[in-house]
């Protein structure tokens, strides 16, 4: 295995891939590495290479970057593999949002849980399996840093059904810490915290500044209208449950049954624009970005200067593993007793330490039981979705969506089956593993007027009337 190669799979993501590349160029230990940018088509990654080479030349780096549409070529000899692809693009995302909305399931984000999250996993898993097969041959010892959503379900799938040494990365903790720092008026780098749970629903179990608990101040601020209105769902959950969580109001509103199930709930808790709860906020944002970059060459405006590193964990983890300098981050891994009251085969998000010896997740113990209960409602969906993807089982996919907290608060089983069937038909081109495996169609049972109920067999020994007569 090469000691100096990084493969980025799905490198056509103009905004995100360019951010990760800039971060990697900031790490002295990676100067001289070879970085392979892989995407199914060349135009975007050629532009990405040109962007990267301007920085390399202007900064005097020895790093090399090349583009390829051959995934096996990108993976061959890689030391690190960064995953950031999306199967089906904006068109599949549109279906994930619009078809459920037609049935009454109003999603804000639609990429992590619910109908949108489940179908994104189903489109993703087959490619993950083929990447795993290639890696076992071409780079069996490589570390995988996954950014592909739905993070919880994808990491459950990776942990259960592949051989990858993987960790899932998100920026919910970093961005929420910015908010907490602002609300408590304490510099972010001076706040000591412990966050744990699952991706997009991890809980800040401790928030301290020089030994002082910051929760009383945060709770006090959330009771004020000008703070509460910014984070109605997160604020409401903290007001009732005592703990703040790691994703926006728009995200959390989908993961629990109380905030998007009807117009009254939406008007009360999800009335802020964009990720404050607006319907289809993430799909509409993604669509607008795609349309913009289709006609605008953003790289033409780049100066070639090396910018400051972003908040993304990726480059810091690789730096720690190359340099031996430890780095602490929140990562998504298969639970191995790290959180005692969540299943061992579930994906959990816990503090992880990276160093030259690898990744070392932290044992948290037990979550407060009500927080674990909320996590478990999402784990049920992620677990069923991972099984459905592994077995290419449409019935298991149906049950994953049927157990989704938002969907189950809005629809009957019959309506869910109809919706899932329509999603399978609409997205068939991205679901080759499910070809010929249609969802069963169940028709409503008609009960003609005057129908007499069938006799119900009763064991006489158990019937109260048989011993005591009618009361």
């Amino acid at each position: 295995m090469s000691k100096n190669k990084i493969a980025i799979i799905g490198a056509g993501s103009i905004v995100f891939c360019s951010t990760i590349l800039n971060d990697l160029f900031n790490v002295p230990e990676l100067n001289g590495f070879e970085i392979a940018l892989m995407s199914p088509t060349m135009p975007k990654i050629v532009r990405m290479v040109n962007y990267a080479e301007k920085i390399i030349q202007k900064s005097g780096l020895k790093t090399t970057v090349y583009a390829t549409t051959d995934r096996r070529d990108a993976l061959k000899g890689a030391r690190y593999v960064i995953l950031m692809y999306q199967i089906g693009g904006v068109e599949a995302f549109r279906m994930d949002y619009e078809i459920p909305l037609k049935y009454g399931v109003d999603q804000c984000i639609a990429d992590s849980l619910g109908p949108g999250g489940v179908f994104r996993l189903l489109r993703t898993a087959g490619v993950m399996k083929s990447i795993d097969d290639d890696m076992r041959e071409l780079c069996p010892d490589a570390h995988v840093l996954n950014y592909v959503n739905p993070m919880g379900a994808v990491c459950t799938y990776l942990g259960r059904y592949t051989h990858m040494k993987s960790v899932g990365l998100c920026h919910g903790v970093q961005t929420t810490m910015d908010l907490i720092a602002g609300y408590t008026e304490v510099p972010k780098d001076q706040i000591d915290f412990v966050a744990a749970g699952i991706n997009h629903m991890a809980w800040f179990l401790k928030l301290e500044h020089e030994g002082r608990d910051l929760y009383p101040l945060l709770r006090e601020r959330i009771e004020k209208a000008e703070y509460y209105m910014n984070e109605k769902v997160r604020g409401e959950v903290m007001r009732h449950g005592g703990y703040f969580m790691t994703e926006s109001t728009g995200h959390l509103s989908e993961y629990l049954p109380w905030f998007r199930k009807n117009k009254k709930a939406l008007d009360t808790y999800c009335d802020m624009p964009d990720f404050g709860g607006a319907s289809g906020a993430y799909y509409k944002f993604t669509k607008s970005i795609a349309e913009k970059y289709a006609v605008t060459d953003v790289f033409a405006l780049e100066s070639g200067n090396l910018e400051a590193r972003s908040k993304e964990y990726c480059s810091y983890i690789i730096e720690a593993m190359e340099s031996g300098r430890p780095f602490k981050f929140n990562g998504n891994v298969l639970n191995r007793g790290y959180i005692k009251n969540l299943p061992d085969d579930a994906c959990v998000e816990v503090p992880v330490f990276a160093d030259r010896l690898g990744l070392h997740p932290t044992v948290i113990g037990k979550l407060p039981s009500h927080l674990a209960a909320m996590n478990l409602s999402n784990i049920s969906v992620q677990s069923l979705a991972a099984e459905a993807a592994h077995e290419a089982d449409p019935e298991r996919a149906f049950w994953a969506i049927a157990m989704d907290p938002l969907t189950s608060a809005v629809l009957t089983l019959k309506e869910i089956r109809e919706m899932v069937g329509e999603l399978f038909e609409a997205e068939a081109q991205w679901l080759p593993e499910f070809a010929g495996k249609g969802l069963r169609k169940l028709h409503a049972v008609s009960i003609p007027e005057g129908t007499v109920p069938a006799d119900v067999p009763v064991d006489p020994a158990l019937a109260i009337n048989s011993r005591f007569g009618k009361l």
Side-chain angles (χ1 to χ4, degrees):
M1 182 183 73
S2 171
K3 294 184 178 180
N4 61 349
K5 184 177 182 181
I6 299 171
I8 302 181
I9 309 300
S13 174
I14 290 176
V15 176
F16 196 67
C17 186
S18 61
T19 298
I20 295 298
L21 282 172
N22 184 82
D23 289 350
L24 296 173
F25 293 151
N26 270 280
V27 181
E29 285 79 7
L30 301 184
N31 188 14
F33 265 57
E34 178 183 53
I35 302 177
L37 304 182
M38 183 270 161
S39 183
T41 57
M42 287 295 286
K44 286 184 179 180
I45 49 174
V46 168
R47 290 158 63 191
M48 198 75 67
V49 168
N50 293 336
Y51 156 81
E53 288 180 341
K54 286 173 66 175
I55 298 177
I56 289 170
Q57 183 176 4
K58 198 164 185 178
S59 302
L61 300 174
K62 298 177 182 179
T63 304
T64 58
V65 178
Y66 75 94
T68 180
T69 59
D70 184 342
R71 190 178 68 214
R72 289 176 60 85
D73 173 65
L75 291 172
K76 187 176 181 180
R79 185 172 179 83
Y80 303 98
V81 177
I82 304 170
L83 303 177
M84 57 176 69
Y85 66 86
Q86 179 182 340
I87 303 299
V90 176
E91 178 60 13
F93 199 0
R94 179 184 67 81
M95 296 175 184
D96 288 346
Y97 165 62
E98 291 185 352
I99 291 174
L101 183 63
K102 183 174 72 173
Y103 285 83
V105 182
D106 188 329
Q107 302 168 99
C108 176
I109 308 301
D111 80 338
S112 297
L113 207 71
V118 170
F119 269 83
R120 184 171 289 222
L121 174 71
L122 300 183
R123 298 193 301 270
T124 297
V127 178
M128 283 291 185
K129 180 62 170 65
S130 61
I131 291 172
D132 180 53
D133 291 341
D134 287 344
M135 287 184 61
R136 293 173 68 185
E137 175 188 349
L138 301 169
C139 53
D141 297 320
H143 288 273
V144 175
L145 297 100
N146 177 60
Y147 279 104
V148 178
N149 279 323
M151 185 63 66
V154 165
C155 289
T156 300
Y157 180 88
L158 293 180
R160 290 184 186 178
Y161 305 120
T162 76
H163 296 79
M164 294 181 190
K165 296 190 293 186
S166 63
V167 64
L169 305 178
C170 185
H171 49 239
V173 172
Q174 303 98 300
T175 55
T176 300
M177 283 306 301
D178 288 331
L179 180 148
I180 291 172
Y183 282 13
T184 61
E185 300 175 6
V186 175
K188 177 180 175 179
D189 60 1
Q190 294 182 24
I191 298 177
D192 297 316
F193 69 90
V194 175
I198 62 173
N199 181 244
H200 284 194
M201 199 193 285
W203 309 96
F204 287 94
L205 303 175
K206 290 184 180 180
L207 286 170
E208 296 181 353
H209 176 235
E210 297 178 349
R212 175 173 64 96
D213 185 4
L214 292 177
Y215 257 123
L217 177 57
L218 182 60
R219 293 184 184 114
E220 177 185 318
R221 291 285 163 86
I222 286 294
E223 293 295 328
K224 296 181 178 180
E226 62 269 31
Y227 292 95
Y228 180 78
M229 70 182 296
N230 291 335
E231 288 291 345
K232 288 186 177 180
V233 172
R234 281 204 286 190
E236 192 69 3
V237 171
M238 186 180 74
R239 294 176 73 235
H240 289 270
Y243 295 87
F244 207 58
M245 93 45 132
T246 55
E247 274 300 335
S248 72
T249 270
H251 286 84
L252 185 57
S253 70
E254 291 182 351
Y255 309 150
L256 298 169
W258 310 303
F259 302 105
R260 304 188 71 86
K261 63 182 179 180
N262 54 39
K263 186 177 186 301
K264 179 181 178 182
L266 285 165
D267 289 347
T268 301
Y269 298 109
C270 302
D271 61 333
M272 298 298 282
D274 302 324
F275 289 5
S279 180
Y282 191 37
Y283 161 67
K284 294 170 185 175
F285 169 77
T286 301
K287 182 173 180 284
S288 68
I289 291 295
E291 291 172 347
K292 174 183 176 181
Y293 291 148
V295 297
T296 304
D297 183 4
V298 293
F299 291 138
L301 305 175
E302 290 291 336
S303 66
N305 293 328
L306 183 62
E307 304 292 340
R309 288 165 88 173
S310 75
K311 300 171 185 176
E312 298 295 340
Y313 289 138
C314 181
S315 68
Y316 297 94
I317 295 169
I318 296 176
E319 178 182 24
M321 298 178 78
E322 289 296 313
S323 70
R325 297 187 294 273
F327 173 67
K328 178 187 176 185
F329 65 101
N330 267 65
N332 292 274
V333 295
L334 208 64
N335 195 17
R336 288 291 181 255
Y338 308 126
I339 299 180
K340 303 294 185 182
N341 50 349
L342 296 181
D344 281 350
D345 63 350
C347 170
V348 293
E349 186 169 286
V350 294
V352 180
F353 288 86
D355 60 23
R356 202 186 300 278
L357 297 178
L359 302 177
H360 315 285
T362 301
V363 174
I364 295 297
K366 287 187 176 183
L367 295 177
S369 58
H370 61 300
L371 305 186
M374 285 185 275
N375 286 167
L376 284 165
S377 71
N378 285 217
I379 287 172
S380 294
V381 179
Q382 295 164 1
S383 178
L384 286 163
E387 290 177 17
H390 178 62
E391 299 169 10
D393 182 350
E395 290 294 324
R396 200 66 56 89
F398 159 77
W399 276 109
I401 294 173
M403 295 307 298
D404 169 56
L406 172 59
T407 304
S408 61
V410 174
L411 301 181
T412 66
L413 285 174
K414 179 179 179 294
E415 292 166 335
I416 295 168
R417 183 169 290 273
E418 291 171 355
M419 177 184 70
V420 172
E422 185 171 343
L423 282 163
F424 268 115
E425 290 179 10
E427 301 191 14
Q429 63 180 303
W430 302 296
L431 300 168
E433 297 84 5
F434 289 84
K437 295 183 176 182
L439 189 68
R440 288 188 300 127
K441 293 183 179 180
L442 297 178
H443 301 288
V445 177
S446 176
I447 304 177
E449 186 176 352
T451 300
V452 177
D455 288 338
V456 178
V458 177
D459 183 344
L462 300 178
I464 293 177
N465 286 349
S466 68
R467 296 180 60 194
F468 302 105
K470 294 182 179 180
L471 298 179

